[in-house]
Amino acid sequence: MHQSLRIATAAAAAATFTGALLVAGAASASAAPSGLQGDFNGDGYRDLVIAAPIGKISGKEGAGYVTVVYGTKSGLDKSKHTVISQATTGIPGTPETSDYFGDRLTTGDLDGDGYTDLVVGVHSERIGSTDSFGVLTVIWGGATGLKTGTDIASPLPKYRNELGWALAAGDFDGDGHTDLAAGNNSTPSLNIFKGPISRAGKATALVGIDTIAATGIYPDELVAGNVNRDGAADLLVMGQQESGNVYATRSVLYKGSSTGLKASSKLAGGYAAAIADVDKDGYGDVITGNFMEKSAGEPNGGPGGAVTVTYGSASGLSTRTPVRITQDTASVPGTAEKNDRFGWSVSAGDTNGDGYADVAVGAPGEALGSKQSAGTVTVLRGSAKGLTGTGSKSFSQDTTGVPGAAEASDQFGGSVWATDSNNDGRAELVAGAAAENNGVGSVWLFKTGASGITATGSTSFGPGSVGGPAGISYFGDDFAN
């Protein structure tokens, strides 16, 4: 999950960008798709989607675009890429100022053909001359990767106010079809588009859930995963809950079932989250990141930010006491300081192949010496005891082997993504610094081995390396989950 780092106006000049650039080897058209989540071209390797929501497209500031980097047996290969915007042939819509295409992303096989599809929530898109906003664009996976898209056309909620502000995909009723969850700043606040969704843009059905009436929480962020391993995906809804004169950050787990999603337990609030099995007991654990200082409105914050682990069980959330980790936790590198923003971004994956999910945590506000907001990423290790500081590692642009040099306001770690792109059973780390080079943005790829993530052999690239337009784009602002 992410916190968008938008710039309202972009002062830098940018080149006009009118189409998609595809430089990619694709799976053989005759080969069966892998069915692997995150594999857009079905070749058996997970791919990466990089958001650049401020990018200037066709002369429009903040129109936005995404870049797809395809996975290979050697890992992510930036020479195999596709750049997609609303100016791309086959993609619906027209680039407009402040559309922020790519600002909200999720992935899943929505039509059940074995290829993962990409969903872009263009929540700022105005619908004609109406007062409605928000379009859900599905870019379909296939043997040649992501090329063409469709806007979901029916059924749709009666009122759309930034539909697609939050997105997640999962099989929430356990029927074998991927569903799409989308937040809406109107009633109902949560919309479930039941799969399969056809390439004509028609969902099987639409189910509206009023999360505010049911729980008091508006869906600012959505994360799908399976906590109790019952065959139906669960949905974490993150937002704020009014309590007197205070709006406290809270989350609620909606449990999936054959009859759909039902609100269950409330848990730690935050602004980023992942669901993964950090203690290898077979159940998904909920890791929430809250980069704020602890206060009445931010009860799950911490000195410089915090991550909280709420453990899963066969019945859903466990009665086990949640664990909170900060940079003051034993063995965690660094020192907790105000405005570090530890927990701004969170992603989980098994980085060393031991069967325990590890957690990458971004702290884009971390100062390195006199360089304010240079940023770091910390990888916390999963274990039989759960998530702890033991064996954790920290990386920055000043780490030996990491390309570049840390500078003030780079905000390295503003986005993180753990993914096994070469299918070797160990997740690599992708880190973004959207503010790098005055808002142009950059992405780092870290390799992994038996000891986990390593700086050795790490690489970085910006939008110019993958055919993106010049100027401010906030390349690396987010990665599709």
Side-chain angles (χ1 to χ4, degrees):
M1 303 297 288
H2 79 293
Q3 292 296 307
S4 182
L5 304 176
R6 296 180 187 164
I7 296 179
T9 57
T16 298
F17 186 70
T18 58
L21 297 177
L22 175 62
V23 188
S28 167
S30 61
S34 70
L36 191 67
Q37 168 62 22
D39 181 7
F40 301 120
N41 61 1
D43 64 354
Y45 302 105
R46 293 177 179 87
D47 309 312
L48 172 70
V49 179
I50 304 166
I54 307 298
K56 187 175 183 179
I57 304 295
S58 300
K60 303 297 183 180
E61 303 278 4
Y65 67 94
V66 299
T67 296
V68 185
V69 176
Y70 289 91
T72 71
K73 65 180 179 181
S74 301
L76 293 164
D77 184 349
K78 68 181 178 65
S79 72
K80 297 178 171 58
H81 62 262
T82 309
V83 180
I84 300 172
S85 75
Q86 287 182 306
T88 300
T89 300
I91 303 301
T94 301
E96 296 174 309
T97 300
S98 301
D99 270 353
Y100 304 121
F101 183 88
D103 183 51
R104 297 292 189 269
L105 301 167
T106 195
T107 63
D109 182 7
L110 297 183
D111 59 352
D113 65 352
Y115 297 98
T116 297
D117 309 307
L118 173 66
V119 183
V120 182
V122 197
H123 56 90
S124 296
E125 178 90 4
R126 191 183 189 102
I127 312 303
S129 59
T130 71
D131 290 328
S132 295
F133 290 84
V135 170
L136 304 175
T137 300
V138 183
I139 305 175
W140 304 103
T144 56
L146 296 174
K147 281 193 170 182
T148 61
T150 308
D151 288 342
I152 294 179
S154 69
L156 288 168
K158 182 177 180 180
Y159 302 106
R160 283 188 280 173
N161 185 3
E162 294 207 78
L163 177 67
W165 173 259
L167 294 172
D171 181 6
F172 301 120
D173 55 9
D175 66 353
H177 300 294
T178 301
D179 311 309
L180 175 65
N184 186 28
N185 193 19
S186 187
T187 302
S189 53
L190 178 62
N191 293 267
I192 308 300
F193 296 84
K194 289 178 61 64
I197 298 174
S198 76
R199 294 205 171 200
K202 182 176 176 59
T204 299
L206 176 64
V207 177
I209 300 174
D210 189 344
T211 62
I212 299 173
T215 67
I217 297 175
Y218 172 80
D220 285 327
E221 297 281 355
L222 301 173
V223 179
N226 200 332
V227 172
N228 59 1
R229 303 300 184 194
D230 63 351
D234 307 309
L235 183 68
L236 182 70
V237 176
M238 308 175 71
Q240 291 183 320
Q241 180 178 9
E242 184 178 5
S243 178
N245 294 322
V246 175
Y247 285 86
T249 303
R250 293 289 284 165
S251 301
V252 60
L253 185 70
Y254 276 75
K255 292 172 64 174
S257 71
S258 60
T259 57
L261 292 166
K262 304 295 181 185
S264 62
S265 305
K266 291 182 180 178
L267 64 157
Y271 300 89
I275 299 176
D277 186 3
V278 299
D279 57 359
K280 205 165 66 172
D281 66 351
Y283 302 108
D285 308 308
V286 182
I287 305 101
T288 52
N290 190 326
F291 63 89
M292 300 290 285
E293 305 297 316
K294 188 173 182 178
S295 66
E298 302 291 349
N300 301 112
V307 294
T308 300
V309 185
T310 305
Y311 290 94
S313 71
S315 59
L317 296 177
S318 171
T319 57
R320 178 179 174 181
T321 301
V323 174
R324 189 175 66 165
I325 297 176
T326 73
Q327 287 182 294
D328 280 345
T329 298
S331 300
V332 175
T335 301
E337 299 167 311
K338 190 174 182 179
N339 298 323
D340 280 348
R341 291 185 283 173
F342 182 81
W344 176 281
S345 57
V346 170
S347 185
D350 181 3
T351 64
N352 62 349
D354 64 356
Y356 298 97
D358 308 308
V359 178
V361 183
E366 178 81 19
L368 298 176
S370 62
K371 294 169 282 193
Q372 299 296 315
S373 297
T376 62
V377 174
T378 299
V379 180
L380 304 171
R381 296 287 293 274
S383 70
K385 295 181 180 180
L387 196 67
T388 71
T390 302
S392 57
K393 302 177 182 180
S394 182
F395 301 91
S396 74
Q397 289 187 75
D398 279 351
T399 300
T400 300
V402 176
E407 299 170 308
S409 301
D410 276 350
Q411 299 179 27
F412 178 84
S415 55
V416 292
W417 185 241
T419 181
D420 181 9
S421 64
N422 61 359
N423 206 18
D424 69 350
R426 295 190 292 257
E428 305 97 53
L429 172 66
V430 186
E436 174 85 2
N437 296 327
N438 298 314
V440 173
S442 193
V443 168
W444 283 256
L445 308 180
F446 290 82
K447 295 185 177 182
T448 190
S451 61
I453 301 299
T454 177
T456 303
S458 58
T459 59
S460 68
F461 61 93
S465 298
V466 289
I472 294 174
S473 66
Y474 268 42
F475 183 81
D477 179 57
D478 195 15
F479 307 116
N481 57 15

